[in-house]
């Protein structure tokens, strides 16, 4: 998948990228099972082509885009992002895609569009995990419109120069690098602009433990574990100390102003 | 209570009393730990070996404990009195895996920082429950030598070792609280059902929940 290096500020971190092997074998993608190895093992049943994405809601031009149309919406860029999972581990991933905001020009959101929601495919024939009741399917995530239109918010189609492997959310997924990984919906079939936020799947499942924002924040612990540190996958062997987690996953300079005046302890 | 083996099973029972059966069981019990150790050395434990070691040692501790609790029902239902020889071996194995679980948590997750561990215990229910389970195991592990059994006397020893039921419940709760955070409780349910059967059998046989704890 050809791409040029991104010029968006903060889009190319200096950290050493995690190996392709680790990125594609250690995944949370409950549609294929709850074990980290399940997606790599079971996601071959997903058919990422043909694919289309419905973009609707508070937009002037609602439309169903084929994957090919969607991929032509803007030039492909390579971006190297840190990914911090809410479980306390992290990776560094060279994604390929473009800013979600590039799509806005095509669909023309109205003034009532305050939030953007993302829906993952939920087809039991392709996704064995959808039969389990761990979550209320389909998987839903939601962002405030200013978060969604931030240049770092990425629609990703590939990683390491290749099209996305199924277990990483083929053929198109979201990547919001300053939020915990689960905010970044995979295998997206619908992007909906709305006046009110949709309730994200994890908030619905466990509102005491997961909030709408889910910004990476070392000072706000998950009720069951500390978020102050993280284990960088593939780095330094078994006895390597955990690394300190950075505010907004290290993207504070780029996104901090989105949350000016907001109590991040309450709005976790 | 001694149960005479059914003729068909007396052959199996005779094998179970062979002197080399116990070393064999010890060797079997060591297999998962050795496999994990080899995996850690050659680097075949996946992308997050620390997490893998913490999880696997914990789950194995549960499995050995469940097997320990299965010995008595099995030996009565299958008329294999010789099985009782292996109960203490399995109990000690449970403890060894619990120690490995605690050590890998303290080392890999907490970097041996005692302060952090203490804070973790009092801040997080599932760590507290796990730690309680471990503390309850200590008197059991410390009295697992023949000399301790003799010193306590059989009845008192048995009474003390009923605490195994408490350990099992704390272990299951610890596992549940951990998994519930990610809504991933199917596996916990399997353990819960098996434990319910093992406890249920004891309740039925002795005629009541309280009677299950009585030493005869």
């Amino acid at each position: 998948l050809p791409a040029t290096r991104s010029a968006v500020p903060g889009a190319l971190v200096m950290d050493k990228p995690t190996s392709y092997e680790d990125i594609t074998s250690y995944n949370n993608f409950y549609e294929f099972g709850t074990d980290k190895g399940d997606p790599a093992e079971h996601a071959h049943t997903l058919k990422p082509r043909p694919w289309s994405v419905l973009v609707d809601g508070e937009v002037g031009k609602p439309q169903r885009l084929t994957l090919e149309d969607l991929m032509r919406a803007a030039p492909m860029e390579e971006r190297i992002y840190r990914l911090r999972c809410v479980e306390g581990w992290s990776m560094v991933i060279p994604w390929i895609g473009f800013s979600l905001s590039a799509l806005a020009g095509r669909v023309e959101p109205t003034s009532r569009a305050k939030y953007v929601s993302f829906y993952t495919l939920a087809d039991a024939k392709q996704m064995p995990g959808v039969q389990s009741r761990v979550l209320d399917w389909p998987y839903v995530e939601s962002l405030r419109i200013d978060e969604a239109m931030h240049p770092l918010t990425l629609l990703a189609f590939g990683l390491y120069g290749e099209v996305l492997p199924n277990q990483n959310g083929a053929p198109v997924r979201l990547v919001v690098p300053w939020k915990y990984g689960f905010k970044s919906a995979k295998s997206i079939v619908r992007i909906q602009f709305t006046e009110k936020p949709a309730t994200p799947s994890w908030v619905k499942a466990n509102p005491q433990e997961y909030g709408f924002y889910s910004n990476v924040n070392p000072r706000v612990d998950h009720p069951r574990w500390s978020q102050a540190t993280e284990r960088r996958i593939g780095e330094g062997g078994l006895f390597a100390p955990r690394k300190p987690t950075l505010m907004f996953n290290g993207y504070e300079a780029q996104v901090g102003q989105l949350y000016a005046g907001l109590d991040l302890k309450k709005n976790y | 209570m001694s149960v005479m083996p059914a003729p068909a099973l007396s052959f199996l029972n005779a094998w179970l009393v062979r002197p080399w059966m116990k070393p064999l069981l010890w060797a079997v019990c060591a297999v998962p730990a050795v496999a994990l150790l080899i995996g850690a050395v050659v680097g075949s434990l996946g992308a997050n070996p620390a997490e893998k070691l913490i999880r696997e040692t914990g789950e194995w501790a549960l499995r050995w404990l469940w097997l320990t609790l299965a010995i008595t029902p099995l030996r009565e239902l299958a008329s294999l009195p010789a099985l009782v020889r292996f109960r203490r071996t399995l109990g000690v194995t449970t403890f060894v895996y619990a120690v490995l679980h605690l050590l890998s948590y303290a080392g890999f997750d907490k970097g041996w920082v005692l302060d952090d561990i203490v804070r973790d215990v009092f801040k997080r229910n599932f760590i507290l429950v796990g730690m309680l389970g471990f503390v309850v195991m200590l008197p059991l592990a410390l009295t697992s030598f023949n000399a301790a059994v003799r010193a306590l006397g059989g009845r008192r020893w048995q009474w003390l070792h009923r605490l195994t039921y408490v350990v099992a419940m704390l272990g299951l709760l610890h596992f549940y609280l951990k998994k519930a955070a990610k809504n991933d409780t199917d596996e916990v349910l399997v353990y819960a059902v098996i434990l319910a059967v093992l406890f249920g059998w004891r309740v039925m046989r002795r005629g009541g929940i309280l009677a299950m704890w009585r030493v005869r």
Side-chain angles (χ1 to χ4, degrees):
Chain A
L1 195 58
T4 53
R5 290 171 78 77
S6 179
V8 170
L12 291 163
V13 298
M14 292 303 169
D15 308 39
K16 184 174 168 287
T18 306
S19 74
Y20 184 82
E21 163 74 15
D22 284 348
I23 292 172
T24 56
S25 65
Y26 189 76
N27 309 95
N28 277 318
F29 197 169
Y30 274 22
E31 282 81 346
F32 296 103
T34 54
D35 194 86
K36 299 279 192 309
D38 283 341
E41 194 178 327
H42 303 302
H44 60 89
T45 51
L46 177 74
K47 286 187 208 64
R49 276 166 186 80
W51 193 273
S52 69
V53 179
L54 176 67
V55 187
D56 66 345
E58 303 289 351
V59 292
K61 293 179 181 165
Q63 53 194 288
R64 181 176 286 282
L65 288 149
T66 64
L67 182 65
E68 291 68 30
D69 274 349
L70 187 62
M71 290 177 78
R72 278 193 294 266
M76 292 285 171
E77 298 174 13
E78 188 191 12
R79 303 192 182 185
I80 304 174
Y81 281 175
R82 283 180 286 265
L83 175 112
R84 170 63 156 80
C85 178
V86 71
E87 297 167 338
W89 53 267
S90 63
M91 293 184 178
V92 178
I93 305 181
W95 299 108
I96 290 176
F98 49 75
S99 298
L100 174 68
S101 59
L103 198 60
R106 301 271 299 244
V107 299
E108 296 171 8
T110 71
S111 60
R112 282 201 302 275
K114 302 277 174 20
Y115 294 88
V116 188
S117 302
F118 305 86
Y119 294 85
T120 297
L121 180 72
D123 177 359
K125 285 201 287 292
Q126 300 181 56
M127 302 169 139
V130 173
Q131 274 139 17
S132 97
R133 291 181 309 175
V134 282
L135 289 171
D136 199 4
W137 313 107
Y139 191 85
V140 184
E141 258 310 337
S142 192
L143 298 171
R144 239 169 43 189
I145 187 108
D146 57 339
E147 298 176 320
M149 293 301 124
H150 191 281
L152 283 176
T153 300
L154 181 73
L155 264 189
F157 301 88
L159 64 84
Y160 264 112
E162 316 262 344
V163 294
L164 279 179
N166 289 357
Q167 62 267 35
N168 293 83
V172 54
R173 64 168 293 168
L174 189 70
V175 184
V176 193
W178 69 93
K179 293 176 180 282
Y180 293 119
F182 66 86
K183 289 297 287 183
S184 299
K186 302 184 178 87
S187 303
I188 294 171
V189 290
R190 185 181 186 191
I191 300 174
Q192 189 186 26
F193 291 74
T194 55
E195 195 167 5
K196 299 249 155 53
T199 306
S201 290
W202 279 109
V203 175
K204 204 166 176 182
N206 206 341
Q208 285 86 41
E209 304 197 358
Y210 303 97
F212 177 83
Y213 284 97
S214 296
N215 291 315
V216 176
N217 188 340
R219 291 187 286 276
V220 177
D221 283 354
H222 187 280
R224 293 169 212 249
W225 54 84
S226 163
Q227 294 293 25
T229 60
E230 65 200 45
R231 178 174 287 116
R232 182 62 56 83
I233 297 299
E235 221 173 83
L238 204 44
F239 293 95
R242 293 168 67 97
K243 307 165 82 84
T245 288
L246 304 171
M247 188 64 205
F248 294 115
N249 203 21
Y251 298 94
E252 188 166 16
Q254 291 83 33
V255 303
Q257 81 285 352
L258 294 176
Y259 307 100
L262 192 71
D263 182 346
L264 295 171
K265 274 207 156 62
K266 268 192 203 128
N267 299 282
Y268 56 87
Chain B
M1 181 172 60
S2 84
V3 184
M4 283 309 292
L9 289 161
S10 58
F11 174 73
L12 182 55
N13 211 52
W15 273 88
L16 290 173
V17 296
R18 298 275 161 103
W20 47 264
M21 280 300 289
K22 235 181 192 169
L24 178 68
L25 180 60
W26 279 115
V28 169
C29 290
V31 166
V34 171
L36 284 172
L37 183 69
I38 293 172
V41 171
V42 306
S44 65
L45 296 182
N48 196 343
E51 177 191 66
K52 181 97 172 173
L53 284 170
I54 297 171
R55 281 195 185 172
E56 289 289 317
T57 50
E59 285 195 40
W60 274 107
L62 284 183
R63 289 180 197 130
W64 294 121
L65 180 52
W66 267 225
L67 276 174
T68 310
L69 289 168
I71 288 284
T72 300
L74 209 62
R75 102 178 208 258
E76 296 205 5
L77 293 173
S79 303
L80 290 170
L83 274 176
V84 74
R85 297 178 65 221
F86 308 126
R87 195 172 56 179
R88 231 185 320 154
T89 310
L90 290 170
V92 171
T93 301
T94 303
F95 179 71
V96 170
Y97 278 82
V99 169
L100 293 175
H101 180 54
L102 180 60
L103 287 178
S104 33
Y105 155 77
F108 304 140
D109 240 19
K110 295 289 147 193
W112 305 113
V113 182
L114 194 61
D115 258 21
D116 282 3
I117 296 171
V118 172
R119 221 174 312 131
D120 222 21
V121 169
F122 291 104
K123 201 171 172 191
R124 300 179 213 292
N125 289 336
F126 86 99
I127 304 273
L128 179 67
V129 170
M131 208 61 98
L132 273 177
F134 184 75
V135 168
V136 177
M137 288 180 95
L138 287 175
L140 308 188
L142 292 172
T143 54
S144 283
F145 309 94
N146 287 333
V149 184
R150 274 195 301 274
L152 278 169
R155 281 177 67 91
R156 247 184 306 175
W157 189 89
Q158 273 207 353
W159 181 85
L160 178 68
H161 281 251
R162 290 285 189 265
L163 284 175
T164 307
Y165 304 152
V166 177
V167 177
M169 288 187 280
L170 288 170
L172 184 67
L173 182 62
H174 171 64
F175 192 40
Y176 168 77
L177 289 173
K178 169 71 196 176
K179 291 286 199 175
K182 296 283 281 181
N183 260 15
D184 184 13
T185 51
D186 290 4
E187 209 181 331
V188 182
L189 192 66
V190 174
Y191 282 88
V193 166
I194 296 172
L195 189 64
V197 169
L198 294 173
F199 278 6
W201 178 83
R202 287 172 165 83
V203 171
M204 300 269 280
R205 195 189 55 150
R206 288 169 170 262
I209 289 178
L210 290 175
M212 169 180 141
W213 304 77
R214 200 186 305 135
V215 174
R216 288 182 295 187

